[in-house]
């Protein structure tokens, strides 16, 4: 006889087979390649697939190549394409934006003289080929530069009352004295440059570092955000607005922390004409939100705050992406990464770059319900200029790791990107979390909280821009290849039915032997966090030997003579 629970599971599985998965948590293994610099776009036309861009590194972090991976709304891989720039080296992808079947990718590539240059390229999602690609000489061919972010815009830069569709690219220049200026480039739809501007901190300290991390369209201009040198020991938040023709509108840059302050993202609320700036502070080891009046750049004090937590172990959560809430128009959602979390065990384990999510009230910063951390094992490898945790927090690069999809038929959803350590190769694989309005993932998670503290005591500093700088495009070719990817579905074994009374198990965490009080138990299967089977056998006594397993989290499946199955998680210490 089929139980009610079994019938429900069978019915749910059948329904999932007939429709797009409403929610999932899946892991993607590219045969030993290290997933790095992950960023996300969702197509704005059917079939509304997910596009993941980034770079594949070798396990020793010495070599890399860009890639594009397309995934459908059920998490199935459509393609994974490593990219190469013909006759050019050190090709690296940092951001993307979609416009129907056009995918614009930006980053850096070294020219024939070995200088790093900002590039932009158009990939056709209908034919899966690159249409064009350019790298740019900005100011001088002898100045290296790099692109971090790109947006689509229709900003009327010539003031004729008509939209001027194209793209805005943000990044930075490396000057001869090794100082950095932020760079903003306006192109047409074919990536031909129209004009550019340089953005600089006005401090007397040296070296002067200004990096334009991201740019957002406020529908009367662009907010350029990132970081800039305040004095010899402090880097402050850059929040600098320009008009559509890149002339200066206002400056709202400030410093608060004790070493590094960085603006990571922003959301423009057109109804309130307010910009919500997502920032990270060195002194709190946490994020915050600063509300700016879009007309003047003035800080709106009641809506500006920074997060504080009750103990050091809860620190080091940093915001990367700011999106609207799917459940309440009065709320926004911060998605970021945790620098490190200690998992229980003997000895304890440290995991890095876990996705963290917080929904808050725009009016006062109050946390809605609780925050959540998607708990998976991961360790960042080696050293790299764009590793997240070689410093306290990222100093310039904050990829877009969260996107809402409200255009496809059915329930609106959100997609988030993360990393999970491959159980076999110990390199970071790709994790994709498709979640609904409550932001809860399918598998392991932890509850989080913070207290919003009203922003005060900040010090403003000057940032300015200089337009009219020269920019010269150089065409190059991009070739694509194909990379096999293995997909593992966390949800296929994520049912933890501890409450089914089929017996007991202990201890948890376990060092060597897991003891069972389950007289009718017949066999077992053990799977790692990536859902790979790492052990199985018959149960001939009242225990399972786990001494040969590495430290970590495992799913244990016990099968009984009656045909019933019990799942539970065990931590191997």
């Amino acid at each position: 006889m089929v139980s009610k629970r079994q019938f429900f599971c069978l019915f749910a599985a059948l329904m999932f087979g007939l429709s797009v998965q409403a929610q999932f948590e899946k892991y993607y293994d590219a045969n030993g390649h290290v997933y790095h610099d992950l960023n996300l776009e969702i197509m704005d036309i059917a079939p509304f697939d997910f596009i993941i861009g980034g770079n594949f590194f070798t396990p020793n972090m010495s070599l890399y190549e860009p890639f594009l991976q397309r995934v459908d709304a059920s998490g199935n891989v459509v393609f994974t394409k490593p990219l190469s720039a013909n006759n050019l080296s050190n090709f690296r992808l940092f951001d993307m934006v979609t416009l129907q079947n056009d995918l614009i990718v930006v980053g850096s590539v070294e020219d024939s003289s070995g200088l790093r240059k900002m590039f932009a390229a158009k990939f056709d999602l209908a034919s899966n080929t690159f249409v064009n690609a350019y790298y740019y000489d900005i100011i001088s061919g002898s100045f290296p530069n790099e692109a971090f972010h790109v947006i689509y815009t229709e900003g009327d830069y010539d003031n004729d009352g008509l939209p001027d569709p194209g793209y805005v690219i943000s990044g930075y220049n490396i000057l001869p004295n090794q100082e950095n200026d932020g760079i903003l480039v306006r192109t047409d739809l074919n990536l031909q440059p129209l004009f550019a501007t340089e953005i600089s901190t006005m401090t007397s300290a040296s070296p002067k570092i200004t990096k334009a991390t991201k740019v957002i369209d406020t529908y009367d201009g662009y907010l350029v955000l990132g970081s800039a040198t305040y004095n010899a020991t402090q880097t402050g938040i850059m929040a600098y607005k320009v008009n559509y023709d890149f002339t200066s509108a206002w400056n709202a840059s400030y410093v608060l922390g004790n070493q590094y302050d960085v603006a990571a993202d922003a959301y423009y609320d057109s109804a309130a004409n307010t910009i919500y700036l997502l920032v990270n502070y060195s002194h709190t080891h946490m994020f915050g939100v600063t509300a700016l009046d879009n007309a003047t750049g003035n800080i709106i004090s009641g809506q500006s705050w920074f997060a504080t937590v009750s103990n050091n172990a809860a620190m080091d959560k940093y915001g990367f992406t700011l999106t609207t809430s799917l459940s309440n128009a009065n709320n926004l959602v911060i998605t970021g990464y945790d620098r490190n979390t200690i998992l229980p065990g003997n000895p304890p384990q440290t995991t890095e770059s876990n996705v963290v999510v917080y929904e808050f009230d725009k009016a006062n910063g109050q946390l809605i319900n609780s925050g959540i951390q998607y708990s998976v094992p991961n360790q960042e490898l080696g050293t790299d200029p764009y590793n997240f945790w070689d410093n306290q927090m990222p100093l310039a690069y904050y990829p877009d790791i969260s996107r809402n999809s409200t255009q496809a038929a059915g329930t609106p959803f959100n997609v988030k990107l993360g990393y999970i350590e491959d159980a076999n190769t110990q390199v970071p694989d790709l994790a994709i979390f498709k979640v609904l309005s409550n932001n809860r993932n399918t598998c392991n998670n932890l509850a989080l909280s913070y207290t919003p503290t009203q922003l005060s005591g900040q010090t403003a500093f000057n940032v300015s821009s200089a337009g009219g700088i020269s920019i010269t495009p150089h065409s190059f070719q991009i070739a694509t290849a194909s990379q096999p990817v293995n997909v593992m579905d966390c949800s296929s074994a994520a049912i933890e039915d501890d409450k089914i009374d089929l017996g007991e198990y202990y201890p948890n965490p376990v060092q060597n032997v897991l003891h069972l009080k389950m007289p009718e138990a017949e066999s077992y299967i053990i799977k790692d966090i990536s859902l790979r089977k790492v052990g199985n056998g018959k149960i001939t006594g009242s225990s399972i030997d786990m001494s040969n397993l590495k430290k970590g989290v495992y799913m244990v499946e016990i099968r009984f003579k009656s045909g019933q199955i019990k799942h539970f998680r065990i931590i191997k210490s």
Side-chain angles (χ1 to χ4, degrees), residues 327 331 359-360 366-372 437-440 448-450:
S327 60
N331 300 340
E359 182 166 341
F360 68 92
Q366 290 296 325
L367 181 64
I368 306 301
N369 298 319
S370 67
I372 188 169
S437 60
N438 64 2
N439 293 307
R440 267 44 188 170
L448 301 173
S449 66
Y450 69 79

Side-chain angles (χ1 to χ4, degrees), residues 172 245 315 326 388 397 423 428 451 502 504 512 533:
Y172 70 98
D245 61 359
M315 289 181 175
L326 293 176
F388 295 145
Y397 180 51
T451 300
L502 295 171
E504 300 175 8
N512 295 308
K533 185 167 69 175

Side-chain angles (χ1 to χ4, degrees), residues 41-51 97-103 125 152 167 404-408:
E41 281 293 316
I42 298 180
M43 292 180 65
D44 59 1
I45 59 172
F48 306 104
D49 287 350
F50 316 152
I51 311 297
V97 67
T98 58
L99 176 63
Q100 298 183 350
N101 277 318
D102 289 343
L103 175 71
L125 289 165
Y152 170 73
Y167 301 96
N404 290 338
S405 180
T406 58
Q407 295 173 306

Side-chain angles (χ1 to χ4, degrees), residues 22-314:
Q23 183 171 352
F24 64 74
E25 179 174 329
K26 293 189 177 185
Y27 312 136
Y28 300 80
D29 162 26
N31 294 331
H33 290 293
V34 177
Y35 279 91
H36 207 276
D37 312 320
L38 296 177
N39 53 91
L40 172 69
E41 281 293 316
I42 298 180
M43 292 180 65
D44 59 1
I45 59 172
F48 306 104
D49 287 350
F50 316 152
I51 311 297
I52 297 93
N55 299 285
F56 282 142
F57 275 72
T58 54
N60 63 4
M61 298 294 290
S62 62
L63 299 172
Y64 57 83
E65 62 181 355
F67 74 89
L68 295 174
Q69 185 164 317
R70 180 169 174 173
V71 175
D72 69 20
S74 292
N76 303 307
V77 176
V78 178
F79 64 68
T80 303
K81 294 184 176 296
L83 313 177
S84 58
N86 293 353
N87 302 316
L88 300 174
S89 60
N90 291 324
F91 186 30
R92 190 157 182 172
L93 187 155
F94 285 123
D95 194 38
M96 313 174 295
V97 67
T98 58
L99 176 63
Q100 298 183 350
N101 277 318
D102 289 343
L103 175 71
I104 306 302
V105 299
V106 300
S108 63
V109 66
E110 287 189 1
D111 65 14
S112 57
S113 62
L115 291 177
R116 189 184 313 149
K117 296 298 176 68
M118 172 186 298
F119 85 85
K122 181 187 293 187
F123 183 81
D124 182 3
L125 289 165
S127 64
N128 294 335
T129 58
F130 277 93
V131 176
N132 57 32
Y134 302 95
Y135 69 84
Y136 304 106
D137 289 338
I138 301 176
I139 302 178
S140 165
S142 61
F143 287 6
N145 50 73
E146 200 156 31
F148 282 150
H149 195 231
V150 59
I151 61 170
Y152 170 73
T153 182
E154 295 183 355
D156 179 16
Y157 65 82
D158 54 9
N159 294 312
D160 64 357
L162 300 174
D164 296 318
Y167 301 96
V168 179
I169 304 167
S170 66
Y172 70 98
N173 238 2
I174 303 175
L175 304 176
N177 57 3
Q178 295 304 302
E179 293 185 339
N180 296 150
D181 279 346
I183 293 292
L184 212 58
V185 175
R186 180 65 153 89
T187 79
D188 64 15
L189 286 172
N190 293 313
L191 303 178
Q192 289 296 315
L194 301 173
F195 49 89
T197 192
E198 223 177 354
I199 303 170
S200 307
T201 177
M202 302 308 293
T203 180
S204 60
S206 182
K208 297 179 182 180
I209 306 295
T210 307
K211 292 190 176 181
T213 298
K214 286 183 181 175
V215 57
I216 67 164
D217 194 332
T218 63
Y219 301 103
D220 62 353
Y222 308 108
L223 177 71
V224 188
L225 55 103
S227 60
T229 299
Y230 169 66
N231 60 29
T233 61
Q234 288 179 285
T235 297
I237 291 162
M238 179 174 71
Y240 184 74
K241 186 178 175 184
V242 297
N243 299 309
Y244 279 145
D245 61 359
F246 285 5
T247 56
S248 178
W250 47 255
N251 171 52
S253 303
Y254 70 91
V255 65
L256 181 68
N258 54 14
Q259 189 175 13
Y260 300 113
D261 294 343
V262 183
D265 199 13
Y267 170 76
Y268 174 59
D269 184 335
S270 58
N273 201 28
T274 298
I275 299 168
Y276 293 89
L277 189 67
L278 175 62
V279 298
N280 293 312
Y281 294 113
S282 57
H283 71 300
T284 61
H285 291 248
M286 292 290 286
F287 54 83
V289 170
T290 302
L292 302 172
D293 184 328
N294 182 50
T296 64
N298 293 334
I299 293 176
I300 304 171
S301 58
Q303 295 176 267
S304 301
W305 52 273
F306 56 86
T308 57
V309 291
S310 58
N311 58 73
N312 290 346

Side-chain angles (χ1 to χ4, degrees), residues 274-569:
T274 298
I275 299 168
Y276 293 89
L277 189 67
L278 175 62
V279 298
N280 293 312
Y281 294 113
S282 57
H283 71 300
T284 61
H285 291 248
M286 292 290 286
F287 54 83
V289 170
T290 302
L292 302 172
D293 184 328
N294 182 50
T296 64
N298 293 334
I299 293 176
I300 304 171
S301 58
Q303 295 176 267
S304 301
W305 52 273
F306 56 86
T308 57
V309 291
S310 58
N311 58 73
N312 290 346
M315 289 181 175
D316 288 317
K317 274 72 173 173
Y318 297 102
F320 278 60
T321 307
L322 191 61
T323 56
T324 55
S325 166
L326 293 176
S327 60
N328 190 326
N330 295 318
N331 300 340
L332 294 175
V333 177
I334 295 168
T335 302
Y337 289 132
D338 172 70
R339 190 179 194 277
N340 58 71
T341 292
I342 307 300
L343 297 178
N346 185 22
Q349 282 186 295
T350 299
T351 183
E352 298 176 331
S353 305
N354 278 189
V355 171
V356 294
V357 187
Y358 303 85
E359 182 166 341
F360 68 92
D361 188 330
K362 287 188 288 189
N364 51 32
Q366 290 296 325
L367 181 64
I368 306 301
N369 298 319
S370 67
I372 188 169
Q373 177 171 326
Y374 303 167
S375 300
V376 297
N378 183 65
Q379 292 288 322
E380 192 172 65
L381 299 182
T383 58
D384 179 79
Y386 297 107
N387 271 358
F388 295 145
W389 315 124
D390 286 353
N391 296 286
Q392 176 185 329
M393 59 186 177
L395 303 183
Y397 180 51
Y398 284 86
D400 294 317
I401 62 171
S402 176
R403 286 283 185 257
N404 290 338
S405 180
T406 58
Q407 295 173 306
T411 304
F413 60 85
N414 176 274
V415 181
K416 303 181 190 297
L417 299 184
Y419 301 84
I420 180 169
E421 183 176 285
D422 190 291
N424 292 327
T425 61
Q426 283 75 58
V427 305
D429 287 342
L430 163 66
I432 299 181
F433 307 88
K434 181 182 177 183
V435 299
L436 303 181
S437 60
N438 64 2
N439 293 307
R440 267 44 188 170
N441 62 316
T442 305
C443 299
N444 296 338
N445 55 63
L446 300 170
L448 301 173
S449 66
Y450 69 79
T451 300
T453 299
Q454 291 300 301
L455 178 66
S456 63
Q458 70 273 12
T459 301
F461 66 93
N462 289 328
V463 170
S464 67
S465 58
I469 62 176
S470 64
I471 177 168
T472 304
H474 299 273
S475 177
F476 69 101
Q477 301 296 313
I478 298 177
T480 64
S482 182
Q483 171 64 50
V485 171
N486 302 311
V487 185
M488 294 143 285
D489 189 344
C490 167
S491 62
S492 65
I495 303 169
E496 184 174 11
D497 37 22
D498 261 347
K499 296 181 180 180
I500 300 175
D501 188 13
L502 295 171
E504 300 175 8
Y505 58 91
Y506 66 93
N508 190 11
V510 60
Q511 287 187 327
N512 295 308
V513 178
L514 180 67
H515 296 283
L516 307 175
K517 289 186 177 180
M518 302 177 184
E520 299 298 311
E522 189 172 51
S523 64
Y524 70 91
I525 296 174
I526 302 174
K527 296 182 180 181
D528 64 23
I529 194 68
S530 297
L531 277 291
R532 292 187 179 90
K533 185 167 69 175
V534 296
N536 67 287
K538 296 288 186 182
I539 298 175
T540 56
S542 58
S543 63
I544 299 174
D545 183 4
M546 301 185 70
S547 60
N548 64 329
L549 298 179
K550 298 177 182 179
K551 296 181 177 70
V553 180
Y554 295 89
M555 178 69 71
V556 179
E557 177 183 296
I558 303 294
R559 293 180 176 268
F560 294 83
K561 295 175 183 178
S562 64
Q564 290 178 285
I565 300 173
K566 180 179 179 70
H567 298 91
F568 52 88
R569 293 182 182 88

